[in-house]
Amino acid sequence: METPQIIGIAIGLGVVAVLLLIIFVKANIVLCQPNELVVISGRRRKLPDGTTIGYRVLRGGRGFKRPMVESVGRMPLNSIPIELCIDGVMTDGMIPVSIEAKATVKLAGRESDGMDDAIERFLGKGVDAVTKTATQALQGAIRGVVATMSPEEANSKRLELAQQASGIARDDLRCLGIVLDFLQIQEVNDTQGYLAAIGRRRNADVQRDAKVAEAKADAEARQVAADQQRVGREAEIAAEQTIIKHENALAVERANLLAEENQASERAGVAGHIARV
């Protein structure tokens, strides 16, 4: 075999080897998106605390799996919306109510949030399994909180109800590897007409209080008007009395002046008569 043929065969084999290597690397390299977890399982390893597990986790970035030894599983970390319609929730007064709520959950993506529990329970399962588990935990938390409240309190204190239920459900879900983003109570209804009766009674109370307040305000206005009229009349009487006093004093003064004038006239007449005599 000639040297050029040997070189050509060697080059061809090299190209094939490079292509096979590229295919091998591409087939076994693992890319992880920011919104998912990649679980590479099949090889046991020991954690710093001494625990032995059979998988390793990628959270963003890339890794390499050993062919025929390790397998790859993916878990989405996207938010999962949940619609809750809970019927027959017993309140403190044993009055059943229906509650409509919305929640958003997602699988734990960090060890502090329960990532290992999420991997053990939901790896290889769909979103429906996560939704079902989260729904059951949320319903239990809401029922537990509503049992301590009256129907009126459950309806008027929805924010407080959501906060208490979120605190209970968040701890329960963390043990399952699920993170609760938020919980919102939208409506509280009852089939017994209890809330409607309370609404009618409050409406009647408001109307009654409004009429009482209106009558009281009218009476106060009338009283103020009467007081003003009385004060005005008293001022008129006082003014008239002052005028009468001044007129009487003026009349007395005039009478005194007239008497003095008459006396002076009489003295002058007497003096003239004496002079003439």
Side-chain angles (χ1 to χ4, degrees):
M1 185 177 293
E2 296 181 358
T3 302
Q5 293 179 344
I6 296 174
I7 295 175
I9 293 172
I11 294 174
L13 292 175
V15 171
V16 172
V18 170
L19 291 176
L20 291 175
L21 179 61
I22 293 174
I23 294 172
F24 175 80
V25 171
K26 187 175 181 181
N28 291 280
I29 195 170
V30 180
L31 299 178
C32 180
Q33 301 297 326
N35 62 338
E36 67 177 357
L37 282 181
V38 172
V39 181
I40 303 175
S41 57
R43 189 170 65 90
R44 302 181 68 82
R45 65 189 183 93
K46 184 176 291 187
L47 299 178
D49 60 357
T51 305
T52 301
I53 60 175
Y55 59 89
R56 52 194 174 97
V57 179
L58 290 179
R59 191 173 187 274
R62 63 178 180 271
F64 188 83
K65 75 176 184 68
R66 290 169 173 79
M68 296 182 297
V69 176
E70 295 178 325
S71 61
V72 176
R74 297 179 182 271
M75 293 176 54
L77 299 180
N78 298 325
S79 296
I80 303 173
I82 297 177
E83 299 282 346
L84 296 171
C85 296
I86 315 173
D87 296 326
V89 183
M90 289 297 177
T91 60
D92 187 22
M94 297 303 294
I95 299 174
V97 297
S98 299
I99 295 179
E100 295 183 8
K102 282 187 176 182
T104 301
V105 300
K106 64 179 180 180
L107 290 175
R110 295 179 176 85
E111 292 184 1
S112 59
D113 295 333
M115 181 183 67
D116 293 332
D117 295 317
I119 293 173
E120 292 175 2
R121 288 175 172 82
F122 300 108
L123 181 63
K125 297 183 179 180
V127 176
D128 293 339
V130 181
T131 302
K132 183 178 179 180
T133 302
T135 299
Q136 292 174 350
L138 291 170
Q139 288 181 348
I142 292 174
R143 287 181 182 274
V145 176
V146 173
T148 64
M149 308 175 77
S150 66
E152 185 178 3
E153 290 175 340
N155 185 50
S156 61
K157 298 180 180 179
R158 298 180 188 177
L159 180 59
E160 182 178 346
L161 170 59
Q163 290 175 345
Q164 294 183 15
S166 296
I168 297 173
R170 188 169 282 111
D171 294 337
D172 294 340
L173 290 173
R174 184 186 178 282
C175 297
L176 300 172
I178 301 174
V179 177
L180 174 62
D181 287 338
F182 85 96
L183 172 64
Q184 181 182 20
I185 305 298
Q186 292 184 305
E187 289 188 13
V188 178
N189 301 311
D190 71 302
T191 59
Q192 306 296 325
Y194 180 82
L195 294 176
I198 291 178
R200 289 194 298 269
R201 185 183 68 185
R202 285 192 172 180
N203 187 30
D205 292 341
V206 170
Q207 292 182 359
R208 180 201 62 199
D209 294 341
K211 291 180 180 179
V212 170
E214 184 179 357
K216 185 177 180 180
D218 185 64
E220 290 177 353
R222 291 177 181 272
Q223 182 65 37
V224 170
D227 292 341
Q228 293 297 326
Q229 186 176 5
R230 175 179 57 77
V231 172
R233 182 56 182 163
E234 290 177 352
E236 291 179 359
I237 293 173
E240 290 178 358
Q241 289 177 347
T242 301
I243 293 172
I244 293 172
K245 287 180 180 180
H246 286 104
E247 288 179 349
N248 291 338
L250 180 61
V252 171
E253 184 67 22
R254 286 178 178 175
N256 291 334
L257 293 175
L258 182 60
E260 291 178 357
E261 182 181 357
N262 291 334
Q263 289 177 359
S265 178
E266 289 178 358
R267 285 197 297 270
V270 172
H273 180 68
I274 292 172
R276 285 193 301 272
V277 173

